[in-house]
Every structure is written in structure tokens, then in C-alpha cells.
Amino acid sequence: MKKAILTTKVGMTQIFNEDGVLTPVTVLQAGPCVVTQVKTVENDGYTAIQVGFVDKKEKATTKPQKGHFEKAGVSPKKFVKEFRFENAEEYKVGQEIKADIFAEGDKIDATATSKGKGFAGAIKRHGLHTGPKTHGSKYHRHAGSNGAASDPSKVFKGKKMAGQMGNKQVTIQNLEVVRVDVDNDIILVKGSVPGPKKSLVVLKESVKA
């Protein structure tokens, strides 16, 4: 991997391309991210860079974190993420990574925490079938059988049941970068990406491109 950046989701809009085709896009505020640490094989056993994104109040920063950021010579950051770049040795502490790391037409993978939608039943959460609506069945929105009783005497892991819906890490692969605004550090991605507005979205070059 050679390209990645931390972004925050601004929202969705739509743009026209040169051929007059309307394209729905997600607007992402991309960085600037600051390199807070460069990891090497000699010191850490592998190569990677650690980046920070979005300034954080000092009073909300712990002493170990404060010392870490002071060593790097940067202000405290709210989000810290590590990327295992193939060319990690080319980066220096304090260097900025901006939106121009990606270009129009690049294929990317977007990772974020999906919207939390609270406790939901199996019908809504997993799309299971409902029971008969009429003739007094008294079985309308139940999940159904959970498994045999005496053998295996348990409910198998992964059984589709009621529970918390959303609020999970989701990755959408092979999205396309439609436009990059270098001056304002904004990336427009075709289609939708996971997460609510103002949430953290990690963009990486696609593993399937």
C-alpha cells in the first residue's frame, strides 16, 4: 500500500461530468494529516507511518499522548492511525499528507463505523420473512426457531436474531475518486460511504484494483 489518508464525512451531493451525466458523490474533508511517527525495522520490527488528524484540546489529552505529540513537534490530534506504506522510509515526522495523495479516477476502499440504529428485531435487522398476517396465526414478526432442543442443546454462533443494528466497522471496496480539490483538501467519491456526517472515514488504495 502506498496511498491512504484520514478524512471526515461532510455529506452527499451530486455533480455533472463533462458529458452532462449526473453523478452522486460523497464529500470528504481529507486531512491535512500529519506524520507523528515513522516506524522502522530496526526499532519496531516493521515499517509503517503513524498519522494524526483533527486538532484536539490539550486538556483532553493524556500525559503520555502529550509527550508523544511533543516529541513529534505537532499539536495533539484527535485521531491517530497507522499505515503500513511500502515507501514508509520516504516520510518524515511532521510531514503533511494532503488530498493530492489521490487523483481523479483512483480506485479506493473506504472504511468507517456505520450509523447506529439501536435495538432491532430479526425482521428489520436481517430481512427475515414475517408470519401470516391473517387467520389468527398470532405469529407475525417473530424470528422463528432457534435450533434443536436436546441436540445440540445450544444456539449456534452467527444465528440471525434480534440485537443492535449498525454501529459496526464497514468497508466498501472499489469506490472511484471523481474529483480532488487540492486547495480545500476535499475528495469527492462516487456513491455513498459508511458512517454519519462528521464521522472518521479511512481511505486506502483499493486492494482489488
Side-chain angles (χ1 to χ4, degrees):
M1 179 174 66
K2 292 184 179 180
K3 296 181 181 181
I5 196 169
L6 301 180
T7 69
T8 51
K9 187 174 180 179
V10 178
M12 288 197 71
T13 185
Q14 51 192 15
I15 60 173
F16 289 93
N17 64 12
E18 295 175 355
D19 300 323
V21 178
L22 188 67
T23 304
V25 294
T26 301
V27 183
L28 299 170
Q29 182 68 49
C33 297
V34 183
V35 178
T36 56
Q37 186 180 358
V38 177
K39 298 197 172 183
T40 60
V41 176
E42 294 77 19
N43 291 336
D44 308 283
Y46 65 98
T47 58
I49 65 167
Q50 184 191 86
V51 299
F53 179 48
V54 181
D55 287 335
K56 183 180 180 182
K57 291 181 180 178
E58 279 200 23
K59 66 179 182 180
T61 308
T62 63
K63 283 188 176 180
Q65 289 173 339
K66 192 176 178 182
H68 180 68
F69 291 124
E70 284 179 351
K71 184 179 179 181
V74 300
S75 59
K77 300 298 179 183
K78 185 177 180 181
F79 303 111
V80 178
K81 184 80 175 175
E82 190 175 285
F83 297 124
R84 293 201 178 192
F85 283 169
E86 297 171 10
N87 57 338
E89 65 281 351
E90 297 176 9
Y91 288 86
K92 295 181 179 179
V93 174
Q95 182 177 338
E96 285 190 340
I97 299 174
K98 297 186 176 182
D100 57 4
I101 194 171
F102 288 106
E104 185 177 323
D106 284 352
K107 294 291 185 179
I108 59 168
D109 296 340
T111 303
T113 302
S114 62
K115 286 184 181 180
K117 298 178 181 179
F119 191 93
I123 306 296
K124 181 177 181 179
R125 190 182 183 205
H126 300 292
L128 303 187
H129 283 287
T130 58
K133 301 288 187 183
T134 56
H135 300 294
S137 71
K138 299 181 181 179
Y139 186 87
H140 304 299
R141 297 183 67 83
H142 291 275
S145 172
N146 290 333
S150 59
D151 182 27
S153 298
K154 66 177 181 179
V155 178
F156 286 109
K157 285 185 178 180
K159 169 68 180 171
K160 292 179 180 179
M161 301 177 75
Q164 187 186 32
M165 186 175 177
N167 196 33
K168 291 184 178 179
Q169 182 174 292
V170 179
T171 299
I172 297 183
Q173 296 180 316
N174 258 350
L175 294 171
E176 183 182 345
V177 175
V178 177
R179 194 173 295 170
V180 177
D181 185 345
V182 178
D183 295 332
N184 298 310
D185 282 316
I186 287 176
I187 296 176
L188 302 184
V189 177
K190 185 177 180 179
S192 61
V193 302
K197 292 178 183 179
K198 299 182 181 179
S199 62
L200 178 71
V201 181
V202 182
L203 300 186
K204 297 179 182 178
E205 62 178 348
S206 180
V207 295
K208 292 183 177 179

